[in-house]
Amino acid sequence: CDLAAPGVELLNVNTWQANWTVWQMHGFERPAWDNAVQFRTRIFDRNHFAPASGFEAVFHFQVADEAALKGLELAVELPELYQVKVNGTGVSFRAGRQWEDPHIRAVAIEKVAKPRDNAITIAAHPFDVRIELENVFLLGNFKVEPARQGFRIAAPLALQFGSWARQGYPFYGSSARYETAIETPGGKLRVELGEWQGSVAEVLLDGKRAGLIPWQPWSVEFPVSAGKHLVAVRVVSTPRNIFGPFHNRTKPRMRAWPAAWADFPSHQPAGAAYDVLDYGLSSPPVLSIGK
């Protein structure tokens, strides 16, 4: 992002560095919440800043295909603390929906976003100790394409077998459902997974849970009546690809702690250099029927 504040102007800096700069210029050694717990009310007791304090940050994103704008949303934590603009147009979060956390609200921005270059401006005057600059997200029905810096937003594509992170969805942190119609004489249906990546898999029969696959063996059995049915496998990921860390050289897996984000490049690296985890079914499940 770009950061502007009294006596400070930083261009194209890592958001972690920008957040630290904001806190330090307001008298703190470091951001108050990332490595500490408030004792009594000592952090909030300092929440008295002059009207001219605060900052303005600009986040840039590119849209490669106009089709990616449909349903595009902007999510911000505690948006009531900021003045938010997209391409110079003010954005209100009063009717925003909750996303991932009670304090993160999301609103539609497809009417103010545009193809090619876009800018999200986050301004806070005065400064407030509840501010954490990095909690800004774009949501929608789109994929991303690696660019020289970060990624471009592009039109969505249907998923195939294989990692969805490698198919344009590296920051997707929810679940994906793979389904097929079958016709069976009845009996006990066995669903066995081959190679796959995820936190847990749910097997559904005609839209209702038939079993869970949380550990080996990667299979589940359940009775099924004769006739036509819809069998689905829902692979659940984790929040790791939403929140990172994406640049830690130790590549932590299935764990994260505040300092995991502290190892970062000074400027945004190429999209191909981001560290994300693979999720999804790499091959079709094997279905078999028996007594």
Side-chain angles (χ1 to χ4, degrees), residues 126 182 186:
I182 65 169

Side-chain angles (χ1 to χ4, degrees), residues 1-288:
C1 67
D2 302 331
L3 178 67
V8 174
E9 184 175 3
L10 301 175
L11 300 178
N12 189 26
V13 295
N14 186 281
T15 310
W16 175 280
Q17 181 63 58
N19 188 46
W20 271 62
T21 300
V22 165
W23 281 83
Q24 289 173 337
M25 64 181 291
H26 289 93
F28 292 83
E29 180 182 357
R30 60 185 298 151
W33 310 111
D34 71 340
N35 275 277
V37 176
Q38 179 172 225
F39 176 71
R40 294 181 178 173
T41 59
R42 65 181 182 181
I43 297 174
F44 274 101
D45 289 344
R46 299 176 63 178
N47 202 25
H48 304 285
F49 297 92
S53 65
F55 64 92
E56 180 176 287
V58 181
F59 296 85
H60 303 275
F61 69 94
Q62 290 188 326
V63 177
D65 192 314
E66 190 171 1
L69 295 175
K70 186 176 181 181
L72 188 65
E73 292 182 303
L74 172 64
V76 177
E77 183 175 24
L78 294 172
E80 63 270 20
L81 301 179
Y82 305 96
Q83 300 85 48
V84 182
K85 295 181 180 179
V86 175
N87 297 328
T89 300
V91 177
S92 173
F93 287 81
R94 291 181 180 177
R97 68 180 181 91
Q98 178 182 314
W99 179 75
E100 293 294 330
D101 182 278
H103 298 292
I104 300 179
R105 315 301 290 187
V107 294
I109 60 167
E110 61 179 285
K111 293 184 179 180
V112 292
K114 64 184 190 303
R116 302 191 68 180
D117 297 331
N118 294 264
I120 300 167
T121 303
I122 307 286
H125 300 288
F127 178 73
D128 192 294
V129 296
R130 293 172 291 172
I131 285 171
E132 291 181 287
L133 184 57
E134 69 270 21
N135 297 317
V136 178
F137 304 89
L138 286 172
L139 317 174
N141 184 27
F142 57 80
K143 71 168 188 174
V144 296
E145 300 173 340
R148 185 178 61 85
Q149 280 193 306
F151 297 82
R152 292 184 298 268
I153 293 175
L157 288 177
L159 282 175
Q160 306 297 321
F161 287 106
S163 167
W164 63 58
R166 309 300 166 186
Q167 299 180 60
Y169 300 92
F171 306 115
Y172 183 63
S174 187
S175 62
R177 189 175 68 251
Y178 305 76
E179 62 184 27
T180 185
I182 65 169
E183 187 168 0
T184 170
K188 184 169 286 188
L189 181 65
R190 177 183 175 87
V191 178
E192 184 175 1
L193 305 185
E195 183 181 352
W196 72 289
Q197 295 83 28
S199 62
V200 66
E202 179 187 33
V203 178
L204 302 103
L205 178 67
D206 299 327
K208 297 181 180 180
R209 177 184 290 179
L212 289 175
I213 304 178
W215 47 67
Q216 291 181 324
W218 308 125
S219 63
V220 66
E221 294 183 354
F222 50 89
V224 62
S225 61
K228 296 181 179 180
H229 298 278
L230 192 65
V231 177
V233 175
R234 187 171 73 94
V235 175
V236 182
S237 65
T238 73
R240 165 61 166 73
N241 285 356
I242 301 176
F243 300 110
F246 302 114
H247 311 299
N248 190 300
R249 285 172 291 183
T250 67
K251 295 187 176 182
R253 292 293 181 264
M254 311 315 295
R255 58 197 174 96
W257 60 100
W261 283 262
D263 188 352
F264 58 85
S266 58
H267 301 287
Q268 186 180 21
Y274 276 59
D275 177 46
V276 297
L277 300 186
D278 292 315
Y279 293 109
L281 292 179
S282 298
S283 58
V286 176
L287 278 62
S288 56

